[in-house]
Amino acid sequence: MRIGIIGFGAAAIGFIERLKDSDNEIHVFERSSDVHRSSISGIRSDGKLFVSSNMGGDIEIPLRVQESVVDFYLSKLLPEDRRTVRTGVSFDNKGFEPVNAKYWHIGTDKLSGVLQEVYSGFSGYQNVQFHFGCEVKDIELRADSVILSGEDFEAACDTALLAVGRSGHGLIRRTTQKYPEIVLSNNTVDIGIRYELPDHVVQHINEEMYEFKVRLRTGTGYLARTLCNNPSGVVVLEDYGDFVTVNGHSNSAFSSNNTNFAVLCTTSFTEPFNDPIGYGSYISRLSNILAGGRKVILQTYRDFLDSKRTKRLGRVHPTLPESNFILGDINLVLPRRITLSLTEFISRLNEVIPGIGYDDNLIYAVEVKFCSNKLSNNAFERVKFMGDCSGHTRSIMYATSHGALLAERFL
Ligand SMILES: Cc1cc2nc3c(=O)[nH]c(=O)nc-3n(C[C@H](O)[C@H](O)[C@H](O)COP(=O)(O)OP(=O)(O)OC[C@H]3O[C@@H](n4cnc5c(N)ncnc54)[C@H](O)[C@@H]3O)c2cc1C
């Protein structure tokens, strides 16, 4: 069978690893010019691996499958680098709902070596062909094949696997408009901020848990949660093409004296509204407009509480370069229900971890996680979705495992 995979990210890796020595002919179409370049992806920056049954996605992935994925990625590290991988277990914390997970943190600096090893390993198989610099713009279902087409290429395959992650939302939008029966549901998007504070405030938590994940049902009814904690990390822009948002990562060697993490609210909608991606994009764009271009807004926690534009920063210094933000008022961007949820979350967390609510701590907006369109793998025999673009995963571990599980159907 000729299988076309669109996108070379975590899900594709899980899939190819299972099928690399089968009789199937696998063609990978990746829009980036080489294996290391990609607009956004945790498989290229940060690299935290979590084994958990309650975070990372909403499909059931057996723990043994997740653990084999960890072994796979760690086996691609040099022996000396393997020793620098931080690892640990999350734990319960006073009233907040804990999210239990075992984790391994590879770090941005070591990831490119891991990815290179993965890629070199796959390239040794004759039935696996990589086509870099090929952005698939359209897929067309025919009776006996699927046609993938881009600016200057066209390819026919028996089955197309879309594994374009979150950054491939353009292709997913076009495909679901063309074949609406693929969409199972689409009503949620996670919207919030990136929070940055001095390492010493959360030092004991970072040492004991490294990645603290907690969630809270706030008074507004929204579920707020922490995500992607980066001890001694840096805040970065996430480029969605027509707008930018904020994100964070850290190296195994550590690069700052600050810790950053996301605080996100899960927003969901009821009929007639059915465009959560449009909603998240609109709010992100608004922050860029107010920031005067491809920038995000930065505010101190005190000014955020007082709804005052930040004019001067205090004792916490931002790790995001100055050219990427403007000091402003995030209250002009986020809907009230989200700001109320965020302030309640942070002030209650401050009771558990004193210093979290320190006036000079920094808030960057907007951070958005588009993970809402849940797509069906049963609508068409010849078209499948794996990883984050399927709406069922949101982590390296779940996306890779999703690819691996889907591959088993082809064995
Ligand atoms: C900055 C950042 C840090 C993160 N850190 C972590 C972390 O530490 N731990 C964790 O578990 N998760 C993390 N994540 C989330 C994680 O990266 C994703 O959940 C995971 O990579 C999803 O895998 P995927 O295969 O679905 O998509 P991706 O890994 O995103 O791969 C999609 C690929 O498809 C390509 N592509 C997109 N559109 C097209 C097209 N039209 N044609 C051809 N190719 C296309 C992209 O270039 C990309 O290479 C992070 C995300 C970001 C943005």
Side-chain angles (χ1 to χ4, degrees), residues 66 191 352 368:
Q66 298 189 39
I191 299 177
V352 182
V368 184

Side-chain angles (χ1 to χ4, degrees), residues 22-138:
S22 68
D23 294 338
N24 297 287
E25 196 184 312
I26 301 174
H27 290 267
V28 186
F29 299 88
E30 166 58 53
R31 70 175 170 197
S32 314
S33 54
D34 64 50
V35 64
H36 300 294
R37 265 167 272 271
S38 167
S39 42
I40 40 169
S41 171
I43 200 72
R44 289 169 180 89
S45 84
D46 211 16
K48 288 196 201 79
L49 308 175
F50 301 97
V51 167
S52 171
S53 45
N54 56 6
M55 59 163 283
D58 58 14
I59 43 174
E60 207 173 301
I61 307 271
L63 292 181
R64 71 172 165 80
V65 174
Q66 298 189 39
E67 267 152 16
S68 68
V69 169
V70 172
D71 291 343
F72 169 75
Y73 281 119
L74 296 184
S75 73
K76 305 295 174 194
L77 279 164
L78 295 169
E80 62 268 32
D81 288 342
R82 217 184 145 148
R83 284 192 285 277
T84 67
V85 172
R86 297 278 311 262
T87 180
V89 183
S90 306
F91 68 91
D92 194 354
N93 209 336
K94 290 183 191 164
F96 278 86
E97 195 184 324
V99 182
N100 296 316
K102 284 197 259 176
Y103 71 83
W104 291 258
H105 184 200
I106 297 176
T108 306
D109 49 336
K110 304 277 158 49
L111 267 181
S112 83
V114 169
L115 205 53
Q116 184 60 46
E117 273 297 297
V118 171
Y119 171 63
S120 308
F122 292 161
S123 304
Y125 289 84
Q126 275 196 338
N127 64 323
V128 184
Q129 303 281 321
F130 285 91
H131 309 274
F132 286 102
C134 290
E135 175 167 6
V136 175
K137 300 246 165 138
D138 187 40

Side-chain angles (χ1 to χ4, degrees), residues 268-292:
S268 52
F269 305 92
T270 48
E271 280 186 60
F273 188 73
N274 70 350
D275 185 14
I277 292 183
Y279 183 75
S281 310
Y282 190 89
I283 290 177
S284 307
R285 259 190 221 107
L286 179 58
S287 76
N288 296 170
I289 289 169
L290 289 170

